[in-house]
């Protein structure tokens, strides 16, 4: 007797789960607030200090906690109720916004205080990441996890897209002081929702006592991942995009807006940023509607390669219209690449250690964004940002092809014991 084939995955499956749908909306608002804070605080700091060094520290401080703390925070997500871990991150976000407002209102802002708040803001983001992925898995289960991860990336892109717009409105309409206080309110919906939902991030996995985290445990997790070429390939693909392009694309966009020269510099800059964000949002919705591509190694490699080619073409073109198209396509491909690799990592990770494996993935996908400050930022100061982004995108493409070739020859090793 032959078994019937599994039913095809439902389109927008994650939105059919009420708690997951509410979480995605709350997460989008929180991501929007994250970006609103960047808009307001970066503006105030530049107007007050005009310090390129401080501007560089703003980027550095945001991603350094992801590099250093993603795995320990993944261990927290493995061991404790993920609702409380996420709430702690959101409350830290809100506290930092309120602290900025107090410093602005009392005119007591200093460089030292700003640096502390910038690091705390980055720490809140790193704390949020692994617990969020465990919650997504718990909301929908493994069969519909690709939908949850893809839609979560789409809703986050929506928050990133609207963050600068809302931040600009608050800055102009209310001023920096009132605007940053209002921003703290945007974290409240997610915090309140997590008081209501019964999903903990662990309710689908009966794994008994969870392993305590220490240095030896970190080594064991690293060895497990290193012995699995599929996991390694997913993390390498995420790391390549982060290291060679990463956070630098937005920082060098003003230079490309001036070079492409369509209308005013401000309008060109806004249009280029919008094209990238719109690619993430509309592309995510399109991919979810079609259910394509599937979460496979080949799909992750191809989408990462398309992302690299899109950025390479953007760096080389002199056409403003073509630049918009290439950035849009790059946004679609980047969302596909990141959501696929993140889904594969979740599905292959041992349930009791999923947070730590996701944390290790976060080191590659987010922590290595610091490297783009060197590959595009510092290198761009020597050879020009256009040449630097061209060489960086080319390196991303070459690295992706090599990673795909190596992954195609490997087979997955059995999962290690969690005892």
């Amino acid at each position: 007797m032959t078994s019937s084939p599994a039913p095809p995955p439902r389109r927008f499956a994650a939105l059919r789960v009420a708690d997951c749908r509410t979480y995605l909306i709350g997460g989008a608002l929180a991501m929007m607030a994250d970006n609103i804070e960047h808009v307001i605080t970066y503006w105030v700091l530049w107007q007050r200090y005009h310090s390129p060094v401080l501007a560089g520290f703003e980027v550095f401080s945001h991603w350094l906690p992801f590099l250093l703390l993603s795995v320990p925070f993944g261990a927290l997500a493995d061991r404790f109720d993920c609702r409380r871990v996420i709430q702690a991150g959101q409350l830290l976000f809100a506290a930092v916004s309120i602290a900025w407002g107090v410093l602005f209102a009392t005119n007591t802002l200093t460089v030292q205080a700003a640096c502390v708040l910038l690091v705390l803001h980055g720490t809140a983001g790193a704390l949020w990441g692994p617990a969020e992925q465990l919650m997504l898995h718990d909301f929908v289960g493994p069969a519909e996890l690709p939908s949850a991860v893809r839609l979560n990336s789409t809703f986050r892109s929506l928050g990133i897209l609207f963050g600068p717009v809302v931040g600009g409105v608050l800055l102009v309409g209310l001023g920096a002081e009132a605007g940053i206080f209002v921003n703290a309110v945007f974290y409240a919906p997610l915090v309140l929702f997590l008081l209501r939902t019964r999903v903990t991030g662990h309710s689908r996995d009966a794994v008994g006592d969870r392993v305590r985290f220490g240095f030896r445990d970190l080594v064991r997790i690293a060895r497990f991942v290193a012995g699995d070429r599929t996991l390694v390939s997913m993390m390498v693909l995420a790391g390549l995009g982060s290291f060679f392009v990463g956070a630098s694309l937005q920082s060098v966009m003003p230079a490309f807006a001036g070079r492409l020269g369509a209308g005013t510099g401000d309008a060109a800059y806004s249009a280029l940023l919008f094209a990238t964000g719109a690619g993430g949002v509309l592309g995510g919705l399109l991919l979810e509607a079609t259910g394509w591509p599937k979460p496979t190694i080949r799909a992750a490699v191809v989408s990462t390669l398309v992302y690299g080619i899109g950025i390479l073409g953007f760096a080389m073109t002199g056409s403003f219209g073509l630049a918009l198209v290439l950035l849009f396509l790059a946004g679609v491909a980047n969302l596909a690449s990141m959501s696929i690799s993140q889904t594969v990592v979740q599905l292959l990770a041992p349930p009791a250690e999923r947070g730590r494996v996701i944390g290790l993935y976060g080191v590659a996908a987010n922590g290595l964004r610091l490297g783009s400050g060197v590959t595009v930022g510092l290198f761009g100061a020597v050879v020009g940002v256009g040449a630097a982004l061209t060489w960086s995108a080319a390196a991303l493409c070459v690295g992706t092809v090599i990673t795909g070739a190596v992954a195609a020859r490997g087979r997955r090793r059995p999962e290690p014991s969690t005892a």
Side-chain angles (χ1 to χ4, degrees):
M1 180 177 179
T2 60
S3 59
S4 58
R10 298 180 297 173
R11 302 294 182 255
F12 297 95
L15 293 181
R16 301 171 188 265
V17 179
D19 275 6
C20 188
R21 181 171 62 246
T22 305
Y23 178 87
L24 293 176
I25 295 172
L29 288 173
M31 183 54 62
M32 184 182 74
D34 181 347
N35 285 268
I36 290 172
E37 183 169 316
H38 290 323
V39 169
I40 295 176
T41 58
Y42 290 2
W43 173 262
V44 172
L45 291 175
W46 180 257
Q47 292 300 313
R48 182 162 301 191
Y49 298 109
H50 293 282
S51 171
V53 174
L54 184 56
F57 183 80
E58 291 166 359
V59 177
F60 182 82
S61 63
H62 186 77
W63 299 113
L64 184 63
F66 288 89
L67 183 66
L68 300 180
L69 299 174
S70 288
V71 178
F73 286 161
L76 288 178
D78 277 334
R79 188 158 184 80
F80 298 106
D81 188 329
C82 291
R83 295 174 298 180
R84 307 302 170 241
V85 176
I86 296 175
Q87 284 175 321
Q90 300 302 307
L91 291 173
L92 182 55
F93 271 132
V96 170
S97 285
I98 293 170
W100 282 115
V102 171
L103 293 176
F104 293 165
T106 58
N107 198 30
T108 55
L109 179 65
T110 64
V111 171
Q112 292 81 1
C115 290
V116 171
L117 291 179
L118 289 168
V119 171
L120 289 176
H121 180 90
T123 301
L127 181 60
W128 183 13
E132 173 178 74
Q133 293 302 313
L134 267 64
M135 289 291 289
L136 294 176
H137 186 277
D138 209 5
F139 280 133
V140 301
E144 295 181 337
L145 181 63
S147 172
V149 174
R150 188 160 48 226
L151 284 172
N152 185 60
S153 297
T154 303
F155 274 72
R156 276 178 165 257
S157 296
L158 193 64
I160 294 171
L161 185 64
F162 281 97
V165 176
V166 178
V169 171
L170 291 176
L171 186 61
V172 174
L174 300 178
E177 298 171 14
I180 199 69
F181 279 124
V182 170
N183 185 59
V185 178
F186 288 117
Y187 297 108
L190 186 56
V191 172
L192 295 175
F193 163 73
L194 291 170
L195 292 174
R196 180 182 64 80
T197 182
R198 295 184 177 181
V199 175
T200 66
H202 305 296
S203 57
R204 290 179 182 268
D205 300 319
V207 294
D209 294 335
R210 297 183 177 273
V211 181
R212 292 187 180 276
F213 182 75
F215 178 76
R216 295 174 65 180
D217 190 54
L218 173 61
V219 172
R220 182 176 56 80
I221 294 295
R223 285 178 177 173
F224 164 65
V225 172
D228 186 329
R229 288 190 180 181
T230 301
L231 283 173
V232 170
S233 64
M234 294 299 101
M235 294 187 184
V236 170
L237 288 173
L240 286 171
S242 297
F243 184 81
F244 286 110
V245 180
S248 65
L249 186 61
Q250 183 174 0
S251 64
V252 301
M253 201 69 82
F256 284 96
R259 190 186 77 176
L260 293 169
T264 65
D266 290 345
Y269 174 57
S270 299
L272 292 173
L273 289 179
F274 183 82
T276 307
V281 175
L282 299 180
L285 295 175
L286 178 62
L287 295 176
E288 182 64 20
T290 60
W292 183 89
K294 305 299 182 185
T296 64
I297 297 176
R298 177 178 296 181
V301 170
V302 171
S303 56
T304 305
L305 184 59
V306 171
Y307 172 62
I309 293 173
I311 298 300
L312 179 62
F314 165 72
M316 298 176 66
T317 186
S319 167
F320 182 73
L322 181 58
L324 292 176
V325 173
L326 290 170
L327 285 176
F328 179 84
L329 293 176
V332 175
N334 187 45
L335 182 138
S337 172
M338 299 300 287
S339 60
I340 290 170
S341 60
Q342 201 162 57
T343 298
V344 172
V345 167
Q346 280 221 52
L347 293 175
L348 295 184
E353 299 169 332
R354 186 175 289 121
R356 275 159 282 193
V357 175
I358 292 172
L360 199 57
Y361 173 85
V363 171
N366 296 308
L368 290 184
R369 290 175 182 266
L370 288 174
S372 64
V374 177
T375 59
V376 178
L378 295 181
F379 189 43
V382 178
V383 302
V385 293
L389 187 59
T390 298
W391 283 106
S392 294
L396 168 58
C397 293
V398 172
T400 299
V401 172
I402 294 173
T403 302
V406 172
R409 299 185 307 175
R411 289 187 177 181
R412 188 168 185 271
R413 201 171 66 178
E415 295 177 357
S417 171
T418 59

